[in-house]
Amino acid sequence: VMVKSGIMDVEIIFSRDECKPNFSGNKITYEDAPGRRGWVDKIIEGPGMQERLASIVQEEGGHLFLCGNGGLAKTAVEAVERSLCRNIGDVQGKMELEKMVAENRMVLDIFTSLKQPETREGINLSELCRCNDFAKVRKGEKGTEDRLLLVINASVYDMANFFRLHPGGDAMLKLYVGMDATKAWDAVEHSKAPEVVAMLEMFDTKMTLRHVEANLNDNEFDWYSNGWKAMTMTLVEIQNAMSLCFQQNWDEGAYSVAEEGLGEHFTVWEGKAVWKPKRSLLKGEFFISTHNRLWSAFLPSLLGDDFDELRSGMVMPGEDYVRMTSLLIDQLPETREHRICDAVCPLLKIELDKASRVENEIAMPSHLQSFMEQLRDADDELLESIKERLIVGLQVFETHKSPLLPAFCGTFDKCIVGMMNDLADFITKIASLAIAYFGEANVLEVANMPNLTRGGISLLGSDNLGTIVHKYIDGDGEIQLGVLDGHIDTENDVPKCPMHLGA
């Protein structure tokens, strides 16, 4: 009756039968319709439906209710997104989908079905941890670039198409791609909600995370779990947190109407000019807080207990491996280059303050933006380099059987010492960049201040780790830039930046 009176439009399609409904009589009948057979996406993307769908969603505030198994829901949601993007453009189409989720206008009522257990392909942790580049800033191995995988209860899920649909926003998902997210999943009690568990089917890759216990003795498995695997997971989560902050607070968005019209300019470094969008002074503050977080919290955390476990598992005849490698680390904080790295954030703060005094100017100078871009590249390269070292070690556990030592002492040693060399190279590079930008005299003046707060490797084992307050001095008085319990200090003219390890 509702269809006949024009109140309701109904489309029915069958995957096996070529027929269509007829509503003209007193009851629904079906008539032959050659070529009609198909899936729900055939209706959603059919002639005339794309325009109608865009109008319902964008102009009429329509709701989308999907009831079915994960496969149907996935097919339908992807078809809706494609349809919107074709009709109103890629950017606007994706935004409309996100808006529907944010306004609770998209409801996915997904149910599981009884079926036989499937044979699943295995994936190693060394491969999983590469599948986390949601910001598209790294050049991974072929086949990993578009996969954003995470593990829940040993099953592997691809989050690439779920970010916009996640009711809790994309940030929490992005913190855990490339990782085993089971503890986080259990912590928010998703495992107790059948309707949430059912949604996982939409993103199931039919893969499972391989386990290595069967190939290792107890000591080797403890070394793998508490050292190599634990440090890899910490590294990936740090990498995700850094990428998320740079993506949200540097690459994307504007924080005021004035920022929206900043335009673009050339950023020049060592004679190479790159045409880039201008960054606001406010984004410069966020940048400082992000780099400071890596230097004063993430690196000391990464090279703390997990790295100690990594080194303590090494047994080399006639060598105290932990003591030998500690000597390489302990000497770094006292170097000139390390103190220059400590001075980078206060120097940047002083530069931003100078730029902020220019009347009616909210964009940072192009040369300052160029320097920050170089810093960001160095931060990314360090984390990626350490991850690749860890992957080499993981692959030994994944592809060989016990005993691993002493046969692979050389491989493990190369990985561990390589990480420390990567760190030393990073410190040297940051110091060189700072001298090239600020000038050696200016850099050393701040670096040699007796009250300069130390960061980096000097914080290993420090009780202040994670509750650091940096106090910097310039010619006009005291400037503070701090990290208080994982957040930027908002009481000292520095915006709060939601930068944290998700666990």
Side-chain angles (χ1 to χ4, degrees), residues 64 98 151 173 198 326 337 359 366 373 401 441 443 472 474 503:
L64 177 64
E98 292 177 19
V151 172
L173 288 180
S326 293
E337 287 77 12
E359 189 174 356
S366 63
E373 298 278 8
K401 294 184 178 182
V443 168
Y472 304 135
D474 72 356

Side-chain angles (χ1 to χ4, degrees), residues 288 291-292 295-297 299-300 332-349 426-427 430-431 434 438 443 446-449 451-459 468 470-472 481:
I288 296 173
H291 176 74
N292 181 62
W295 180 245
S296 296
L299 282 183
L332 286 175
E334 305 310 316
T335 62
R336 171 179 177 266
E337 287 77 12
H338 192 289
R339 289 194 67 89
I340 292 175
C341 290
D342 291 331
V344 166
C345 284
L347 285 164
L348 282 173
K349 178 64 177 174
F426 169 76
I427 290 172
I430 297 297
F438 296 106
V443 168
V446 176
N448 291 325
M449 285 181 175
N451 60 344
L452 179 70
T453 303
R454 304 303 306 278
I457 310 307
S458 65
L459 291 177
I468 308 158
H470 291 261
K471 294 184 178 181
Y472 304 135
L481 172 62

Side-chain angles (χ1 to χ4, degrees), residues 314-322 324:
M314 275 289 287
V315 179
M316 296 184 70
E319 296 283 358
D320 183 342
Y321 193 79
V322 173
M324 180 181 71

